[in-house]
Amino acid sequence: MFVLGKGGAGKTTATVALGMAARRMNKRTLLVEIGDSDALGGLCLNRTLSETPEKISLSLWGARVHPKSELEAYIRAHVGSGFIARKIIRSRLFSYLIDATPGLKEVMSLARIWRWEQAKNEQTGNRFDLIIVDAPATGHAMSLLRLPDQLIRMIRVGPIANQIRDLQRLLKNPQKTCLVLVTLPEELPVNEAMEFYSMAEDELEMPVALTLLNCVYPSFFTKNEINQIDFLKDGLEKNSVTPFSVILDAVLRLIRRRTIQQKYIDLIRAKTLGRMKEMPFYFTNDLTLDDIDALSHHLTHPAFISS
Amino acid sequence: MLSAAIRNPEGPEIIVCCGSGGVGKTTVSAAIGLMGAMSGKKTIVLTIDPARRLADSLGLKDFNFDAQRVDLKRFSCSFDAPEPELYAMMLDAKRTFDGLLFRYSSDEIRKNILNNRYYQHLSNNMAGSHEYMAMENLYEIYSQGRYDLIVLDTPPSRRALDFLDSPQRLINLLGHRFFMNLFKPYIQVGKWGVRLLNIVASPVLRGVGKIVGGQTLADFAEFMKLWDDALFDGFGYRATAMKKLLSGHKTLFLAVSTPQRLPMKEALYLYERLTENHMPFGGFIINRVEWTDGKKGGKTERVDGNSGLEKIVLDAQLKEKMITAYRQIQKLAETDAASIASLIRQIGSRVSVLQIPMADGEVANVDDLKQITNYFS
């Protein structure tokens, strides 16, 4: 499960919430973070995750994929002589080549995830029923997921080419891989989400299975109550600040924000093909794991974490 | 203060906005640009934001990759300058790279490069290609000297660090002599004068070839050779000049964030990297801050008990609901204030921290942007 979305939409929160929902369904779940980011590690364990899966809590594991070390491990595995492997890794030619073919590093990350997935069929300690990847922001995630297709055009033969083909098969199998898009009920995130739906379907051939609409303001008031509140506003004296005017002002702002959000909720609901779920706004700038656990109850449904 | 720096005729000529994605960097950049134009500077805002947010808020419906003048007359707000000149431009990686080729190479070489599979991949996907491109455009536009102020909206944060390093990385990556020396022993001149890579001759090359495929290696060598013939001198010179320009007094870097934990962490990281690299830092801009009663640091009304509310004739249940809703927004305002206080504790009081309150509506046009500029002082 790849969790994608624009920066700031709440991918990491959603990743953890999905993991917690899966845990409640007794699925052994691995949460994966890619590259230098330590958002996931910071949230779950207050530190950077290690590169081998480590337990976060019962049935919930976490790991970080570091492309460079993946690539080095890969070279060691594929070059017979350890001496030459070390020479290659250390050679500047190699680091130039890797820098200039950045896709190679990212595809190595995908390959790592693929190996964790494959390990499911083996009698090893690291078997996972579900792997949830906290993917980079949409633009970069698109290039990540597009990479196998692009690389196969550049690298046609050799062990890497074969591995890329295996990866392509895994990614494009809807029984195995799904995309979860996290977005916000605001103009640009919603527009981007709708653009992403068609890109995912046409370009990646990996349709979005679930859309999570994050930070949805609760509707505190009924329509009738909103009318009453509007009426109160008219009765208020201008320019006099009282405790009541402060409260009324804040309440009106909340109602206004919710009304704007509703416009985009309706818009995206009309356009989305897969499932959609709202995640409520928590009125804090620092969600705790308890908050996310509460959020995850919105996601506990077999359809979201299907077998 | 930021507004003084923007208005000052001797102030910075380049303002770079950095920060993680989704914090409103592009909106802030546009507002800075507007303020520059309003104070009589001919200003351009450069963005790489693929969401084209800038275009939306500036009313540029048909956004293309050329500089476009923003029609400020359409908007109701008044401006200090009689004829404010604001331009906007979106940056595109492939276009910039192709432009470089046209500038520096001969027709023959250009054709070969454009056909090389590496180039096709590289120009669109190279890690940091957006950063190189942003730098390249920035430098190009700066050198033309057509604008008094250039505002650059950078790629999201971690990438923006590549952006800081990019001149050096460019030089390194394209350090041709060094690179060619690595390859030289293995390049043979083939029958028809075509350069071939002799992979068999080196165990290292053989190993690398085994991993990425021999053809790939040959393509890469070919690309480096072409790149080298075409671009090195012009490119290397520019990269050095860019670095100099960015660390000089004509530039100002800003860290944009929201009060949320992760963007704040990124902004702090950026600030540390910038100061470490002796880049001129202009302060933090914290966007979307909740102010309980709409005023910065405004007193939070305690609504414990019913003081002041008992006189209001209102359904008790609705009154209770309103207080509950108010307490939520109050909670948010308090966590935001705590987050900003924590930042100030870490950076000290000498660094500027500006706050922009959470907008109740959407930033939809130049009038809204002008509202934002009110918070720059």
Side-chain angles (χ1 to χ4, degrees):
Chain A
M1 189 177 267
F2 286 91
V3 182
L4 308 123
K6 197 175 150 59
K11 285 183 296 291
T12 306
T13 305
T15 303
V16 176
L18 285 163
M20 286 173 162
R23 179 179 61 184
R24 265 200 301 281
M25 298 172 71
N26 292 319
K27 285 185 186 296
R28 202 179 141 92
T29 303
L30 177 65
L31 308 181
V32 177
E33 173 157 60
I34 295 183
D36 290 328
S37 155
D38 56 6
L40 190 59
L43 183 59
C44 294
L45 294 170
N46 217 2
R47 60 173 164 80
T48 305
L49 288 169
S50 80
E51 291 179 31
T52 44
E54 54 182 322
K55 205 170 207 163
I56 293 171
S57 65
L58 202 68
S59 294
L60 197 56
W61 296 64
R64 193 165 64 98
V65 175
H66 205 277
K68 200 155 177 272
S69 32
E70 277 317 303
L71 194 55
E72 290 178 8
Y74 188 85
I75 289 160
R76 282 196 200 93
H78 279 80
V79 176
S81 145
F83 173 72
I84 291 182
R86 274 195 300 281
K87 248 188 118 171
I88 290 176
I89 291 165
R90 279 207 311 265
S91 80
R92 291 170 118 153
L93 165 63
F94 189 69
S95 56
Y96 274 130
L97 192 60
I98 297 314
D99 261 356
T101 318
L104 209 52
K105 281 193 284 190
E106 279 84 9
V107 92
M108 283 293 133
S109 310
L110 290 174
R112 172 72 266 179
I113 295 161
W114 175 69
R115 282 200 297 281
W116 277 322
E117 201 274 336
Q118 295 292 302
K120 201 162 88 170
N121 307 320
E122 294 161 15
Q123 296 300 314
T124 61
N126 283 337
R127 297 187 317 109
F128 297 104
D129 301 313
L130 178 65
I131 299 171
I132 308 178
V133 184
D134 185 2
T138 326
H140 297 297
M142 270 301 284
S143 20
L144 181 75
L145 294 170
R146 234 194 322 238
L147 267 172
D149 291 344
Q150 276 179 342
L151 279 177
I152 212 75
R153 266 176 252 137
M154 294 174 61
I155 303 171
R156 287 159 185 175
V157 289
I160 284 197
N162 293 336
Q163 191 162 13
I164 294 168
R165 286 202 184 86
D166 285 340
L167 247 175
Q168 267 181 323
R169 274 191 289 274
L170 174 69
L171 291 179
K172 294 188 182 185
N173 179 354
Q175 308 291 312
K176 291 268 189 192
T177 305
C178 79
L179 302 187
V180 176
L181 183 68
V182 186
T183 189
L184 301 168
E186 293 167 24
E187 182 182 6
L188 286 156
V190 160
N191 286 342
E192 276 197 12
M194 295 191 303
E195 268 171 40
F196 186 75
Y197 290 143
S198 48
M199 274 199 297
E201 194 145 353
D202 305 339
E203 269 184 62
L204 299 177
E205 302 166 53
M206 296 170 71
V208 174
L210 168 65
T211 302
L212 297 177
L213 209 47
N214 196 14
C215 295
V216 176
Y217 273 69
S219 7
F220 288 102
F221 307 102
T222 64
K223 225 177 185 146
N224 185 23
E225 285 169 337
I226 292 173
N227 288 339
Q228 289 186 54
I229 293 167
D230 277 338
F231 188 71
L232 284 172
K233 180 185 63 181
D234 298 338
L236 219 57
E237 273 180 62
K238 291 249 153 54
N239 301 326
S240 82
V241 179
T242 64
F244 183 70
S245 74
V246 170
I247 293 170
L248 185 61
D249 190 48
V251 163
L252 285 166
R253 283 189 353 248
L254 274 180
I255 293 171
R256 184 160 155 68
R257 285 182 205 168
R258 169 69 209 201
T259 311
I260 293 170
Q261 283 196 340
Q262 193 59 47
K263 190 168 78 183
Y264 296 110
I265 296 171
D266 295 343
L267 185 66
I268 196 166
R269 275 201 181 279
K271 287 284 157 62
T272 177
L273 300 170
R275 290 171 182 278
M276 168 155 312
K277 202 73 195 160
E278 292 176 16
M279 301 206 291
F281 182 55
Y282 266 73
F283 292 95
T284 173
N285 54 46
D286 192 7
L287 284 179
T288 63
L289 283 180
D290 286 341
D291 293 333
I292 298 175
D293 191 51
L295 261 182
S296 74
H297 285 271
H298 293 259
L299 306 174
T300 309
H301 186 284
F304 301 140
I305 321 280
S306 70
S307 53
Chain B
M1 273 300 141
L2 182 59
S3 59
I6 297 171
R7 287 206 190 99
N8 182 0
E10 305 293 313
E13 291 171 40
I14 297 172
I15 295 179
V16 185
C17 296
C18 312
S20 26
V23 299
K25 252 193 329 268
T26 313
T27 309
V28 169
S29 303
I32 292 172
L34 180 66
M35 192 172 195
M38 275 159 46
S39 55
K41 290 182 182 178
K42 187 175 171 187
T43 304
I44 187 164
V45 181
L46 307 177
T47 181
I48 63 136
D49 196 331
R52 308 186 182 190
R53 179 200 297 252
L54 186 65
D56 290 354
S57 57
L58 293 177
L60 298 175
K61 287 286 170 251
D62 304 314
F63 213 127
N64 56 42
F65 299 112
D66 295 316
Q68 282 186 80
R69 175 138 185 204
V70 178
D71 181 9
L72 293 173
K73 290 200 193 79
R74 296 193 306 123
F75 299 97
S76 58
C77 54
S78 62
F79 301 103
D80 314 344
E83 286 272 328
E85 278 191 85
L86 181 62
Y87 295 78
M89 181 176 161
M90 194 158 105
L91 308 180
D92 176 70
K94 182 88 170 75
R95 220 177 115 95
T96 307
F97 272 85
D98 291 354
L100 274 174
L101 278 180
F102 275 86
R103 192 167 319 124
Y104 291 123
S105 62
S106 68
D107 286 354
E108 173 92 15
I109 291 173
R110 184 189 315 140
K111 213 178 85 202
N112 286 339
I113 291 184
L114 287 172
N115 286 332
N116 184 285
R117 281 187 292 157
Y118 253 95
Y119 176 75
Q120 290 168 9
H121 181 73
L122 209 65
S123 55
N124 267 326
N125 295 286
M126 183 156 65
S129 66
H130 289 281
E131 289 73 23
Y132 295 161
M133 171 209 47
M135 297 303 307
E136 175 58 36
N137 278 290
L138 177 67
Y139 191 74
E140 175 68 22
I141 289 167
Y142 179 79
S143 321
Q144 288 167 358
R146 267 188 276 168
Y147 300 95
D148 304 318
L149 177 64
I150 304 171
V151 185
L152 179 67
D153 166 35
T154 68
S157 181
R158 294 275 154 162
R159 293 278 162 154
L161 293 182
D162 297 354
F163 163 91
L164 288 182
D165 299 337
S166 70
Q168 204 49 53
R169 277 184 47 185
L170 254 177
I171 295 170
N172 289 345
L173 182 69
L174 305 171
H176 80 315
R177 272 153 207 126
F178 172 72
F179 182 85
M180 287 316 288
N181 286 342
L182 273 172
F183 258 128
K184 210 178 268 163
Y186 315 119
I187 294 178
Q188 298 176 328
V189 177
K191 243 193 244 168
W192 297 283
V194 181
R195 288 187 189 87
L196 293 174
L197 204 58
N198 185 355
I199 290 172
V200 189
S202 149
V204 170
L205 273 188
R206 213 156 54 220
V208 173
K210 210 170 149 188
I211 306 265
V212 300
Q215 182 58 43
T216 311
L217 208 52
D219 278 350
F220 183 67
E222 156 92 357
F223 169 71
M224 285 313 292
K225 180 72 191 116
L226 288 166
W227 189 252
D228 194 55
D229 289 350
L231 298 177
F232 178 73
D233 289 330
F235 230 32
Y237 167 78
R238 273 171 102 84
T240 314
M242 277 181 213
K243 179 91 181 174
K244 206 172 147 209
L245 174 65
L246 284 179
S247 39
H249 67 282
K250 290 195 163 86
T251 306
L252 197 63
F253 284 88
L254 300 171
V256 186
S257 179
T258 58
Q260 264 115 9
R261 193 174 54 90
L262 282 176
M264 277 296 221
K265 217 171 125 188
E266 291 288 328
L268 193 62
Y269 179 66
L270 256 158
Y271 161 72
E272 282 162 2
R273 281 297 307 275
L274 284 165
T275 43
E276 203 178 282
N277 281 292
H278 307 290
M279 301 304 229
F281 186 72
F284 291 82
I285 296 182
I286 314 299
N287 194 17
R288 300 203 196 117
V289 183
E290 187 70 62
W291 294 349
T292 325
D293 58 355
K295 283 188 220 68
K296 181 176 173 180
K299 205 167 104 266
T300 299
E301 286 300 334
R302 287 285 154 197
V303 288
D304 307 329
N306 257 351
S307 57
L309 298 184
E310 58 276 352
K311 278 175 285 178
I312 309 294
V313 185
L314 187 62
D315 174 63
Q317 204 192 335
L318 180 56
K319 201 188 272 185
E320 201 47 52
K321 268 186 162 180
M322 286 176 67
I323 290 172
T324 307
Y326 175 75
R327 285 204 176 117
Q328 291 290 313
I329 213 165
Q330 188 185 41
K331 178 184 144 202
L332 183 59
E334 279 167 8
T335 57
D336 282 1
S339 164
I340 291 165
S342 155
L343 174 75
I344 293 171
R345 265 200 307 282
Q346 289 174 78
I347 57 169
S349 54
R350 283 167 62 197
V351 183
S352 146
V353 178
L354 297 176
Q355 298 183 35
I356 301 172
M358 175 90 115
D360 291 325
E362 299 170 273
V363 177
N365 56 42
V366 169
D367 292 314
D368 299 332
L369 284 178
K370 196 177 176 224
Q371 284 294 314
I372 293 175
T373 66
N374 293 337
Y375 302 104
F376 288 161
S377 52

